[in-house]
Amino acid sequence: MRDYAPALDPAGIDLQGPLGEALAANLRGRLSHFIVDETSPAIALFAPERRRHNTEGDWYGEHAGKWLSAAAKAAARSGDARLLGNVRRVADFLVSVQEADGYLGTYAPERRFMRKQPPKPVSWDGAPSVRTWDIWTHAYLILGLLEVHKHFPEPRYLDAARRIGALCLRTLNDRGIDITELGNHFGMSATVLLDPAVELYFATGEQDFLDLALIVLGQADAHPPLALLTRALAGADAAEIATGKAYQLAWNLVGLAKLHRASGHADYLGAVESLWRSIRERHLTLGGGPWGGVAHRSREVFNAPGAFDPHGYVETCSTLAWIQLNRELLTITGEARYAEEIERSAYNDLLAAQAPDGEDWCYYVFPNGRRVHTTYWRCCKSSGAMAVEELPGVAYSLDDADAVAVNLYGAGSARVAHPVAGGLRLTQDTAYPFDGSIRIRVEPKNPARFALRLRIPSWAQGAHVEVNGAAVDGKPAAGDYFAVEREWREGDEVLLRLPMRPVAHLALNRNVQESRAPDGSAVAQEVLRHAYLGFTCGPLVYATGLIDGFKSEETVRLPDAPESEWLHWSAPAAGAPPRLELRLGYRAPLSFEPYYRAGGRVDGAWRLTWLSLAPPEADAVCGFAHDAHGPSKNS
């Protein structure tokens, strides 16, 4: 097991390019306007006179903890004094209205999670008989208060979080209430308490909070429709865990990964990795977001394995939880694949959900569909703001061997408190993700020997590395880190070239009916087959608008020629983004741009990632990066 190095100081991380633009918009938009003080609607919910009469069972209290988490990070990173003032004022108000027993929710006494309810009727999503998001709200409050305390330490913030945790422990231990009774989706919306319970243990070192996490996991696993640990270890698909709700399952896995860090228990990591593989291989869009919405009663649950429909949904909340899950696995293992998933999700489905003003967000993004900015209260607006603020913390890392890893590429810089160099500054000069040439200036305070670990994306076959104009020995392996170890001095420069080429991806929606003939022989008949074509170049997915200005779908027939003759990519030039052109010969060329930018990022714009392929005369759609049941694994 690795030693887990502390996260780098966000104040030392400066992201520019598209990710930096998203961070700047987030700060001036959602984080600065949605909540400013105790009179903001999302905080006024917690006023004693409001909570006393709230019997609705709503989930709106989640915004307080989400905003505190994101705004505390942004204030620490940016040094914005006004935002910090708002953070302190809101946190202080919440502390002031916490009740004597530790309760800090928005519900009237008869609707609170501490009150035992009658047995609930059976429902498809395991919803409790008294619908409640009380534990959910408290889970986010714990995380938000701990984030504020982490960056701006005040005993009252930690104590308020601790008191919530103690109330949860008493409720589950002493009052005969099972955590799965307190949430929808067979308890998953309550078992997310696993994450803040472990965070309380990390913050305080108190055994009670590790015990709380273990109680939550034990009850989650003992509940047959959920059976989180048992099913994961048995190799269940993510769609088969409870209802397969993407956001909540991924958040549960974040907590389970942290519990592995706290306990060292190998089964916890094994369960997380098993479900990570299930999600990665069967349940992501080409843009890296967890998706659902095909033939389910809920738009936000994973599709059955093998289902593919370009009109499926990616909930922005699910993208947040997926990024956080990969953050935890990157911390635990140091493996490049987890950083690559963060980058893919960030540059595609996350940026595709954010509007340039930083305030408006899409609840859902669709590989093929209309961009729709969601309303004031929607959960995904706060989740998107949280997800953007995750990115500086994972862009670089320092491991226990003093090696510095570059996890995300893009213009910007990082100041690292390096134990050997006495301080280190790294500066990326690049147009990435639009271009694959990346220059990294290495500026140690003192000459020092250490390894600089460069992540080589899985799509970057033939990557090349130079230091000070001379090629570095060794062949960078796609999908792994390439370590350059030497004595570094101020002025040293690394040049990383990541070959970018357009790639066509095949996706299939295919159904094969299997049975046996009277003589016992196997019978397999393909009864459904729809093939689709999508495109990437480097980390970016490409999309087009309405075809010919009005068609939301298009079936294409590909030329009988090498891909290089009909698929053309133009590098960025004179401030214009890169473009991809599909030249089919029988019609005007189709022009694609990076998915997140398609349609100018305006409300109502259409984005089409996938084009339907004409049925082949002979079943010979080959030569593409593809997966038989969905988007390419090589994307």
Side-chain angles (χ1 to χ4, degrees), residues 281-282 506-508 624-633:
E281 293 171 4
R282 306 182 191 120
L506 177 70
L508 296 177
F624 304 106
H626 73 280
D627 174 67
H629 305 297
S632 164
K633 298 178 189 177

Side-chain angles (χ1 to χ4, degrees), residues 180 470 584 611 617:
T180 61
L584 300 169
L611 303 179
E617 295 180 7

Side-chain angles (χ1 to χ4, degrees), residues 66 79 93 367 516:
K66 286 182 170 182
F93 171 76
R516 290 195 176 276

Side-chain angles (χ1 to χ4, degrees), residues 286 501 503-507 533-534 536 563 610 622-627 630-635:
L286 200 57
R501 62 180 182 88
V503 178
H505 300 263
L506 177 70
L533 193 68
T536 61
E563 183 177 305
W610 296 99
C622 58
F624 304 106
H626 73 280
D627 174 67
S632 164
K633 298 178 189 177
N634 302 317
S635 59

Side-chain angles (χ1 to χ4, degrees), residues 140-478:
Y140 269 123
L141 285 168
I142 292 172
L143 293 176
L145 289 164
L146 290 178
E147 196 67 39
V148 176
H149 176 72
K150 174 183 176 181
H151 299 291
F152 312 105
E154 292 284 356
R156 62 184 179 276
Y157 304 145
L158 179 59
D159 185 60
R162 180 190 282 116
R163 292 173 62 204
I164 296 173
L167 176 61
C168 294
L169 181 60
R170 292 196 303 273
T171 299
L172 301 181
N173 245 352
D174 304 335
R175 300 191 184 183
I177 294 177
D178 190 287
I179 190 73
T180 61
E181 299 171 6
L182 302 176
N184 296 341
H185 298 275
F186 300 106
M188 280 203 302
S189 65
T191 56
V192 296
L193 183 62
L194 184 60
D195 175 7
V198 182
E199 283 293 339
L200 276 169
Y201 173 68
F202 288 152
T204 67
E206 295 174 14
Q207 182 66 34
D208 279 356
F209 299 122
L210 185 57
D211 292 343
L212 174 60
L214 293 169
I215 289 169
V216 171
L217 178 59
Q219 293 179 351
D221 200 48
H223 188 48
L226 178 51
L228 177 63
L229 185 62
T230 298
R231 285 187 174 183
L233 290 173
D237 185 82
E240 300 167 355
I241 306 294
T243 61
K245 177 70 183 284
Y247 177 17
Q248 296 175 11
L249 177 57
W251 190 7
N252 274 266
L253 295 179
V254 170
L256 190 55
K258 290 181 180 178
L259 187 55
H260 164 77
R261 287 172 52 197
S263 67
H265 199 303
D267 277 354
Y268 301 160
L269 179 59
V272 171
E273 290 179 322
S274 177
L275 285 172
W276 181 92
R277 288 191 295 271
S278 169
I279 296 169
R280 174 62 184 87
E281 293 171 4
R282 306 182 191 120
H283 299 293
L284 295 182
T285 66
L286 200 57
W291 69 337
V294 179
H296 275 70
R297 282 176 283 183
S298 170
R299 297 173 294 271
E300 298 156 6
V301 301
F302 287 123
N303 300 324
F308 176 84
D309 188 320
H311 305 99
Y313 301 74
V314 179
E315 184 190 17
T316 299
C317 291
S318 303
T319 302
L320 162 68
W322 177 243
I323 287 172
Q324 291 176 324
L325 176 57
N326 281 280
R327 175 202 67 199
E328 290 303 311
L329 288 169
L330 177 63
T331 299
I332 291 168
T333 69
E335 293 181 10
R337 57 181 172 168
Y338 301 119
E340 181 162 340
E341 288 307 314
I342 293 171
E343 179 180 80
R344 182 162 74 122
S345 300
Y347 274 128
N348 294 291
D349 282 333
L350 180 61
L351 292 189
Q354 187 193 40
D357 65 5
E359 171 58 37
D360 290 315
W361 284 83
C362 301
Y363 196 130
Y364 305 113
V365 294
F366 311 90
N368 283 29
R370 184 168 62 93
R371 182 185 180 104
V372 179
H373 292 167
T374 193
T375 56
Y376 176 86
W377 281 106
R378 292 298 92 186
C379 52
C380 287
K381 297 182 81 168
S382 288
S383 290
M386 282 185 70
V388 169
E389 292 299 332
E390 289 285 348
L391 303 178
V394 296
Y396 302 85
S397 57
L398 177 67
D399 69 16
D400 53 290
D402 302 328
V404 180
V406 183
N407 300 317
L408 300 183
Y409 293 117
S413 63
R415 295 194 309 272
V416 180
H418 196 277
V420 179
L424 172 67
R425 181 180 177 87
L426 300 174
T427 303
Q428 291 192 52
D429 181 8
T430 179
Y432 191 92
F434 306 134
D435 183 88
S437 179
I438 303 162
R439 291 187 182 274
I440 304 175
R441 292 196 301 277
V442 184
E443 300 173 282
K445 183 177 180 181
N446 304 309
R449 186 176 187 84
F450 58 89
L452 182 66
R453 301 177 69 233
L454 306 172
R455 182 179 59 84
I456 311 300
S458 61
W459 46 262
Q461 302 288 338
H464 177 76
V465 179
E466 297 177 4
V467 175
N468 298 333
V472 175
D473 291 339
K475 183 178 180 181

Side-chain angles (χ1 to χ4, degrees), residues 544-554 587-590 608:
T544 189
L546 292 173
I547 306 295
D548 299 327
F550 69 96
K551 291 184 287 186
S552 61
E553 296 186 12
E554 179 79 350
R587 58 151 296 139
L590 295 173
L608 305 179

